[in-house]
Amino acid sequence: MESDSIECVSSIDEIVEDHEIPHHNIHHHPHPRHAPHHQFSSSKPHHNGTNNVNSISNIVGPTAIAPAASVHELLECPVCTNSMYPPIHQCHNGHTLCSTCKIRVHNRCPTCRQELGDIRCLALEKVAESLELPCKYYKLGCPEIFPYYSKLKHEGICIYRPYNCPYAGSECSVVGDIPFLVAHLRDDHKVDMHTGCTFNHRYVKSNPREVENATWMLTVFHCFGQYFCLHFEAFQLGMAPVYMAFIRFMGDETEARNYSYSLEVGANGRKLIWEGTPRSIRDSHRKVRDSHDGLIIQRNMALFFSGGDRKELKLRVTGRIWKEQQNPDANMCIPN
């Protein structure tokens, strides 16, 4: 918003704070440093009778393949440095690279510049079949070990994989675990941080007829030992401008299902109430918004709730978060 701003008045545990939401200048942050390579070994040792030990001890020189880091290095693409999966390509001189990078380098070997052709390195693909490797997110707590060709699929859904920054309105590239992202939101994005599971926000906009996709707000709540993101924004839904509020859970999808929340907006004897389950921040802000999974208020209704001459938006959104439990007090909200 160029000249207008949304003012948020928060009431949490009966404490009211007045402040004006500033414009945010977002800076791209580098990804956290990558964890070092593991020491890997083959999961299928070969037994060739009683002379097995002697034959292994006689393997010397540059043709020997150590069953640890050097095997992993052989399976590392020299272009993207990721692990290679079939088809693994090689040039006439034996240099290898992954199929994605083969297209990227225009079918020329990045090592010797020879034309690659369509030669598969079947021997290296066979070596990969014998390996079992830990998940690359082991530093973040994943204890799993997988056959080489199952590892990639697991890592795409691993519950220990880093989270993307949940900040909306900008393509922030920061990733990390939840404590890191909470500090990042507070320090870098200057997001409002509150403790408690009830809230009372008032959103004010002097010219509600000017609706931009970038008109949004984010507040982070800490309750039940977890963090939740409250989003409020204005955007165009077809030809009609609307306002939308929803909550995302800072954690995985399975944990998010343990919680519920409600949002309520109203005035003049009318009210709208939304109840739902918070979406995980694994789902992007845009994905949740475009699925309409939240409280949506049409502009005419928002102006009706604002009262007065309907020339200024004054919406009061109240809500609470609770934890689902199997007892009569399931809906009790116990602030931290």
mmCIF file with all atom_site columns, all heavy atoms in Angstrom, residues 53-69:
data_model
loop_
_atom_site.group_PDB
_atom_site.id
_atom_site.type_symbol
_atom_site.label_atom_id
_atom_site.label_alt_id
_atom_site.label_comp_id
_atom_site.label_asym_id
_atom_site.label_entity_id
_atom_site.label_seq_id
_atom_site.pdbx_PDB_ins_code
_atom_site.Cartn_x
_atom_site.Cartn_y
_atom_site.Cartn_z
_atom_site.occupancy
_atom_site.B_iso_or_equiv
_atom_site.pdbx_formal_charge
_atom_site.auth_seq_id
_atom_site.auth_comp_id
_atom_site.auth_asym_id
_atom_site.auth_atom_id
_atom_site.pdbx_PDB_model_num
ATOM 1   N N   . VAL A 1 53 ? 38.869 -62.768 2.327   1.00 0.00 ? 53 VAL A N   1
ATOM 2   C CA  . VAL A 1 53 ? 39.669 -61.793 3.053   1.00 0.00 ? 53 VAL A CA  1
ATOM 3   C C   . VAL A 1 53 ? 40.972 -61.520 2.329   1.00 0.00 ? 53 VAL A C   1
ATOM 4   O O   . VAL A 1 53 ? 41.405 -60.387 2.175   1.00 0.00 ? 53 VAL A O   1
ATOM 5   C CB  . VAL A 1 53 ? 39.931 -62.276 4.491   1.00 0.00 ? 53 VAL A CB  1
ATOM 6   C CG1 . VAL A 1 53 ? 40.864 -61.326 5.214   1.00 0.00 ? 53 VAL A CG1 1
ATOM 7   C CG2 . VAL A 1 53 ? 38.613 -62.428 5.238   1.00 0.00 ? 53 VAL A CG2 1
ATOM 8   N N   . ASN A 1 54 ? 41.633 -62.604 1.868   1.00 0.00 ? 54 ASN A N   1
ATOM 9   C CA  . ASN A 1 54 ? 42.905 -62.423 1.168   1.00 0.00 ? 54 ASN A CA  1
ATOM 10  C C   . ASN A 1 54 ? 42.733 -61.650 -0.119  1.00 0.00 ? 54 ASN A C   1
ATOM 11  O O   . ASN A 1 54 ? 43.553 -60.806 -0.470  1.00 0.00 ? 54 ASN A O   1
ATOM 12  C CB  . ASN A 1 54 ? 43.532 -63.789 0.880   1.00 0.00 ? 54 ASN A CB  1
ATOM 13  C CG  . ASN A 1 54 ? 43.968 -64.492 2.159   1.00 0.00 ? 54 ASN A CG  1
ATOM 14  O OD1 . ASN A 1 54 ? 44.269 -63.827 3.146   1.00 0.00 ? 54 ASN A OD1 1
ATOM 15  N ND2 . ASN A 1 54 ? 43.991 -65.820 2.137   1.00 0.00 ? 54 ASN A ND2 1
ATOM 16  N N   . SER A 1 55 ? 41.650 -61.934 -0.846  1.00 0.00 ? 55 SER A N   1
ATOM 17  C CA  . SER A 1 55 ? 41.471 -61.259 -2.130  1.00 0.00 ? 55 SER A CA  1
ATOM 18  C C   . SER A 1 55 ? 41.211 -59.783 -1.925  1.00 0.00 ? 55 SER A C   1
ATOM 19  O O   . SER A 1 55 ? 41.656 -58.954 -2.709  1.00 0.00 ? 55 SER A O   1
ATOM 20  C CB  . SER A 1 55 ? 40.304 -61.901 -2.905  1.00 0.00 ? 55 SER A CB  1
ATOM 21  O OG  . SER A 1 55 ? 39.089 -61.792 -2.173  1.00 0.00 ? 55 SER A OG  1
ATOM 22  N N   . ILE A 1 56 ? 40.474 -59.435 -0.867  1.00 0.00 ? 56 ILE A N   1
ATOM 23  C CA  . ILE A 1 56 ? 40.217 -58.014 -0.601  1.00 0.00 ? 56 ILE A CA  1
ATOM 24  C C   . ILE A 1 56 ? 41.506 -57.320 -0.212  1.00 0.00 ? 56 ILE A C   1
ATOM 25  O O   . ILE A 1 56 ? 41.791 -56.194 -0.643  1.00 0.00 ? 56 ILE A O   1
ATOM 26  C CB  . ILE A 1 56 ? 39.159 -57.861 0.514   1.00 0.00 ? 56 ILE A CB  1
ATOM 27  C CG1 . ILE A 1 56 ? 37.799 -58.328 -0.005  1.00 0.00 ? 56 ILE A CG1 1
ATOM 28  C CG2 . ILE A 1 56 ? 39.062 -56.426 1.004   1.00 0.00 ? 56 ILE A CG2 1
ATOM 29  C CD1 . ILE A 1 56 ? 36.696 -58.288 1.053   1.00 0.00 ? 56 ILE A CD1 1
ATOM 30  N N   . SER A 1 57 ? 42.327 -57.984 0.600   1.00 0.00 ? 57 SER A N   1
ATOM 31  C CA  . SER A 1 57 ? 43.557 -57.332 1.053   1.00 0.00 ? 57 SER A CA  1
ATOM 32  C C   . SER A 1 57 ? 44.542 -57.134 -0.077  1.00 0.00 ? 57 SER A C   1
ATOM 33  O O   . SER A 1 57 ? 45.449 -56.316 0.028   1.00 0.00 ? 57 SER A O   1
ATOM 34  C CB  . SER A 1 57 ? 44.204 -58.180 2.168   1.00 0.00 ? 57 SER A CB  1
ATOM 35  O OG  . SER A 1 57 ? 44.581 -59.457 1.658   1.00 0.00 ? 57 SER A OG  1
ATOM 36  N N   . ASN A 1 58 ? 44.374 -57.860 -1.187  1.00 0.00 ? 58 ASN A N   1
ATOM 37  C CA  . ASN A 1 58 ? 45.303 -57.731 -2.306  1.00 0.00 ? 58 ASN A CA  1
ATOM 38  C C   . ASN A 1 58 ? 44.903 -56.639 -3.286  1.00 0.00 ? 58 ASN A C   1
ATOM 39  O O   . ASN A 1 58 ? 45.604 -56.392 -4.255  1.00 0.00 ? 58 ASN A O   1
ATOM 40  C CB  . ASN A 1 58 ? 45.411 -59.065 -3.055  1.00 0.00 ? 58 ASN A CB  1
ATOM 41  C CG  . ASN A 1 58 ? 46.144 -60.105 -2.226  1.00 0.00 ? 58 ASN A CG  1
ATOM 42  O OD1 . ASN A 1 58 ? 47.006 -59.760 -1.422  1.00 0.00 ? 58 ASN A OD1 1
ATOM 43  N ND2 . ASN A 1 58 ? 45.792 -61.383 -2.424  1.00 0.00 ? 58 ASN A ND2 1
ATOM 44  N N   . ILE A 1 59 ? 43.730 -56.008 -3.050  1.00 0.00 ? 59 ILE A N   1
ATOM 45  C CA  . ILE A 1 59 ? 43.309 -54.930 -3.952  1.00 0.00 ? 59 ILE A CA  1
ATOM 46  C C   . ILE A 1 59 ? 44.024 -53.658 -3.541  1.00 0.00 ? 59 ILE A C   1
ATOM 47  O O   . ILE A 1 59 ? 43.809 -53.129 -2.451  1.00 0.00 ? 59 ILE A O   1
ATOM 48  C CB  . ILE A 1 59 ? 41.785 -54.707 -3.888  1.00 0.00 ? 59 ILE A CB  1
ATOM 49  C CG1 . ILE A 1 59 ? 41.047 -55.971 -4.322  1.00 0.00 ? 59 ILE A CG1 1
ATOM 50  C CG2 . ILE A 1 59 ? 41.372 -53.542 -4.758  1.00 0.00 ? 59 ILE A CG2 1
ATOM 51  C CD1 . ILE A 1 59 ? 39.532 -55.855 -4.223  1.00 0.00 ? 59 ILE A CD1 1
ATOM 52  N N   . VAL A 1 60 ? 44.876 -53.157 -4.396  1.00 0.00 ? 60 VAL A N   1
ATOM 53  C CA  . VAL A 1 60 ? 45.635 -51.948 -4.101  1.00 0.00 ? 60 VAL A CA  1
ATOM 54  C C   . VAL A 1 60 ? 45.645 -51.066 -5.335  1.00 0.00 ? 60 VAL A C   1
ATOM 55  O O   . VAL A 1 60 ? 45.254 -51.475 -6.414  1.00 0.00 ? 60 VAL A O   1
ATOM 56  C CB  . VAL A 1 60 ? 47.092 -52.278 -3.686  1.00 0.00 ? 60 VAL A CB  1
ATOM 57  C CG1 . VAL A 1 60 ? 47.112 -53.018 -2.360  1.00 0.00 ? 60 VAL A CG1 1
ATOM 58  C CG2 . VAL A 1 60 ? 47.787 -53.089 -4.764  1.00 0.00 ? 60 VAL A CG2 1
ATOM 59  N N   . GLY A 1 61 ? 46.158 -49.837 -5.142  1.00 0.00 ? 61 GLY A N   1
ATOM 60  C CA  . GLY A 1 61 ? 46.323 -48.946 -6.277  1.00 0.00 ? 61 GLY A CA  1
ATOM 61  C C   . GLY A 1 61 ? 45.069 -48.147 -6.569  1.00 0.00 ? 61 GLY A C   1
ATOM 62  O O   . GLY A 1 61 ? 44.051 -48.261 -5.897  1.00 0.00 ? 61 GLY A O   1
ATOM 63  N N   . PRO A 1 62 ? 45.109 -47.332 -7.613  1.00 0.00 ? 62 PRO A N   1
ATOM 64  C CA  . PRO A 1 62 ? 44.017 -46.407 -7.909  1.00 0.00 ? 62 PRO A CA  1
ATOM 65  C C   . PRO A 1 62 ? 42.746 -47.086 -8.369  1.00 0.00 ? 62 PRO A C   1
ATOM 66  O O   . PRO A 1 62 ? 41.703 -46.455 -8.428  1.00 0.00 ? 62 PRO A O   1
ATOM 67  C CB  . PRO A 1 62 ? 44.613 -45.531 -9.030  1.00 0.00 ? 62 PRO A CB  1
ATOM 68  C CG  . PRO A 1 62 ? 45.667 -46.382 -9.655  1.00 0.00 ? 62 PRO A CG  1
ATOM 69  C CD  . PRO A 1 62 ? 46.236 -47.203 -8.539  1.00 0.00 ? 62 PRO A CD  1
ATOM 70  N N   . THR A 1 63 ? 42.789 -48.390 -8.724  1.00 0.00 ? 63 THR A N   1
ATOM 71  C CA  . THR A 1 63 ? 41.570 -49.042 -9.190  1.00 0.00 ? 63 THR A CA  1
ATOM 72  C C   . THR A 1 63 ? 40.691 -49.493 -8.041  1.00 0.00 ? 63 THR A C   1
ATOM 73  O O   . THR A 1 63 ? 39.545 -49.869 -8.242  1.00 0.00 ? 63 THR A O   1
ATOM 74  C CB  . THR A 1 63 ? 41.912 -50.272 -10.048 1.00 0.00 ? 63 THR A CB  1
ATOM 75  O OG1 . THR A 1 63 ? 42.713 -51.170 -9.271  1.00 0.00 ? 63 THR A OG1 1
ATOM 76  C CG2 . THR A 1 63 ? 42.656 -49.860 -11.302 1.00 0.00 ? 63 THR A CG2 1
ATOM 77  N N   . ALA A 1 64 ? 41.212 -49.506 -6.811  1.00 0.00 ? 64 ALA A N   1
ATOM 78  C CA  . ALA A 1 64 ? 40.414 -49.941 -5.673  1.00 0.00 ? 64 ALA A CA  1
ATOM 79  C C   . ALA A 1 64 ? 39.414 -48.857 -5.307  1.00 0.00 ? 64 ALA A C   1
ATOM 80  O O   . ALA A 1 64 ? 39.727 -47.668 -5.343  1.00 0.00 ? 64 ALA A O   1
ATOM 81  C CB  . ALA A 1 64 ? 41.325 -50.226 -4.481  1.00 0.00 ? 64 ALA A CB  1
ATOM 82  N N   . ILE A 1 65 ? 38.197 -49.269 -4.946  1.00 0.00 ? 65 ILE A N   1
ATOM 83  C CA  . ILE A 1 65 ? 37.150 -48.333 -4.537  1.00 0.00 ? 65 ILE A CA  1
ATOM 84  C C   . ILE A 1 65 ? 36.922 -48.502 -3.051  1.00 0.00 ? 65 ILE A C   1
ATOM 85  O O   . ILE A 1 65 ? 36.495 -49.554 -2.599  1.00 0.00 ? 65 ILE A O   1
ATOM 86  C CB  . ILE A 1 65 ? 35.835 -48.581 -5.295  1.00 0.00 ? 65 ILE A CB  1
ATOM 87  C CG1 . ILE A 1 65 ? 36.051 -48.377 -6.801  1.00 0.00 ? 65 ILE A CG1 1
ATOM 88  C CG2 . ILE A 1 65 ? 34.730 -47.661 -4.792  1.00 0.00 ? 65 ILE A CG2 1
ATOM 89  C CD1 . ILE A 1 65 ? 34.802 -48.669 -7.612  1.00 0.00 ? 65 ILE A CD1 1
ATOM 90  N N   . ALA A 1 66 ? 37.249 -47.489 -2.267  1.00 0.00 ? 66 ALA A N   1
ATOM 91  C CA  . ALA A 1 66 ? 37.014 -47.549 -0.826  1.00 0.00 ? 66 ALA A CA  1
ATOM 92  C C   . ALA A 1 66 ? 35.519 -47.563 -0.568  1.00 0.00 ? 66 ALA A C   1
ATOM 93  O O   . ALA A 1 66 ? 34.773 -46.843 -1.224  1.00 0.00 ? 66 ALA A O   1
ATOM 94  C CB  . ALA A 1 66 ? 37.651 -46.334 -0.143  1.00 0.00 ? 66 ALA A CB  1
ATOM 95  N N   . PRO A 1 67 ? 35.057 -48.386 0.374   1.00 0.00 ? 67 PRO A N   1
ATOM 96  C CA  . PRO A 1 67 ? 33.619 -48.527 0.593   1.00 0.00 ? 67 PRO A CA  1
ATOM 97  C C   . PRO A 1 67 ? 33.039 -47.425 1.446   1.00 0.00 ? 67 PRO A C   1
ATOM 98  O O   . PRO A 1 67 ? 32.046 -47.630 2.123   1.00 0.00 ? 67 PRO A O   1
ATOM 99  C CB  . PRO A 1 67 ? 33.530 -49.868 1.324   1.00 0.00 ? 67 PRO A CB  1
ATOM 100 C CG  . PRO A 1 67 ? 34.793 -49.948 2.098   1.00 0.00 ? 67 PRO A CG  1
ATOM 101 C CD  . PRO A 1 67 ? 35.838 -49.287 1.240   1.00 0.00 ? 67 PRO A CD  1
ATOM 102 N N   . ALA A 1 68 ? 33.654 -46.250 1.443   1.00 0.00 ? 68 ALA A N   1
ATOM 103 C CA  . ALA A 1 68 ? 33.143 -45.176 2.288   1.00 0.00 ? 68 ALA A CA  1
ATOM 104 C C   . ALA A 1 68 ? 32.908 -43.930 1.465   1.00 0.00 ? 68 ALA A C   1
ATOM 105 O O   . ALA A 1 68 ? 32.153 -43.943 0.520   1.00 0.00 ? 68 ALA A O   1
ATOM 106 C CB  . ALA A 1 68 ? 34.117 -44.927 3.427   1.00 0.00 ? 68 ALA A CB  1
ATOM 107 N N   . ALA A 1 69 ? 33.574 -42.808 1.814   1.00 0.00 ? 69 ALA A N   1
ATOM 108 C CA  . ALA A 1 69 ? 33.272 -41.524 1.185   1.00 0.00 ? 69 ALA A CA  1
ATOM 109 C C   . ALA A 1 69 ? 33.527 -41.533 -0.309  1.00 0.00 ? 69 ALA A C   1
ATOM 110 O O   . ALA A 1 69 ? 32.831 -40.871 -1.067  1.00 0.00 ? 69 ALA A O   1
ATOM 111 C CB  . ALA A 1 69 ? 34.095 -40.424 1.853   1.00 0.00 ? 69 ALA A CB  1
#
